[in-house]
Amino acid sequence: MLRLKIYVIPFGKISEQLFSTFFDNEIKLPSIENIDLRDISYFKWQDPGVNKQFIIASMNNELVGLIGIFTRANKGICEVCNRYEEIGVFTIENDTLPKQSHYMCQDIMKCNQNMTSLDQLHRIITPHTDEKTPSMILVYS
């Protein structure tokens, strides 16, 4: 398995500048130094100071940012990786769509490890993207 890792295309470059481009500078930025970008298909973190969860994912060769509220729950099936894990409810609310909630893993690394396809992640992201906008898209909750 480790021999294949050298062929894995890593997630896009993550930096503090990227975070500040996507999200308000007031949020607490996550530590990204110890993350091997070849191990993730999407990135999320929680800022307890503002009670929000932030997701950055790649879709159609663009980075997409989502902001929502994450409420921890018990074990269940994650909508992203389709595995039985410790989950929570990620709720996205914006002006143009009704509120949407999704069961997602609490542990981002387990979720990324369990994923076999990006289809479910893209199914969650798609309603919150504007296909008329070819650049970075940000969805607030």
Side-chain angles (χ1 to χ4, degrees):
M1 185 81 154
L2 290 175
R3 288 182 281 178
L4 291 177
K5 198 168 190 174
I6 61 173
Y7 299 106
V8 173
I9 299 169
F11 188 79
K13 183 172 170 54
I14 297 177
S15 66
E16 287 189 18
Q17 182 180 6
L18 175 69
F19 291 131
S20 63
T21 301
F22 269 115
F23 308 111
D24 187 354
N25 288 328
E26 303 291 317
I27 65 171
K28 182 179 178 188
L29 299 175
S31 173
I32 57 173
E33 295 171 359
N34 297 327
I35 296 175
D36 185 342
L37 297 178
R38 296 173 295 178
D39 291 339
I40 64 172
S41 297
Y42 74 104
F43 186 73
K44 73 175 182 174
W45 77 99
Q46 182 125 3
D47 184 348
V50 294
N51 193 31
K52 300 275 185 188
Q53 186 166 74
F54 304 88
I55 294 177
I56 296 176
S58 179
M59 187 166 157
N60 300 326
N61 295 319
E62 294 178 358
L63 290 176
V64 178
L66 297 176
I67 300 174
I69 296 177
F70 189 79
T71 307
R72 291 180 181 270
N74 292 319
K75 283 199 166 216
I77 302 293
C78 172
E79 290 182 48
V80 176
C81 70
N82 200 33
R83 294 292 198 290
Y84 187 73
E85 295 286 353
E86 293 286 336
I87 59 164
V89 180
F90 181 66
T91 303
I92 306 164
E93 188 173 7
N94 64 37
D95 297 336
T96 58
L97 294 171
K99 184 187 308 186
Q100 292 187 348
S101 295
H102 304 280
Y103 293 107
M104 298 178 78
C105 285
Q106 292 179 22
D107 185 327
I108 179 73
M109 296 312 287
K110 277 187 183 177
C111 191
N112 273 288
Q113 264 184 339
N114 291 337
M115 288 176 68
T116 58
S117 167
L118 294 174
D119 292 345
Q120 290 299 98
L121 178 63
H122 289 173
R123 182 187 59 76
I124 292 169
I125 294 170
T126 299
H128 305 285
T129 59
D130 179 0
E131 295 193 14
K132 296 175 191 162
T133 307
S135 59
M136 175 184 64
I137 299 157
L138 176 60
V139 177
Y140 285 97
S141 173

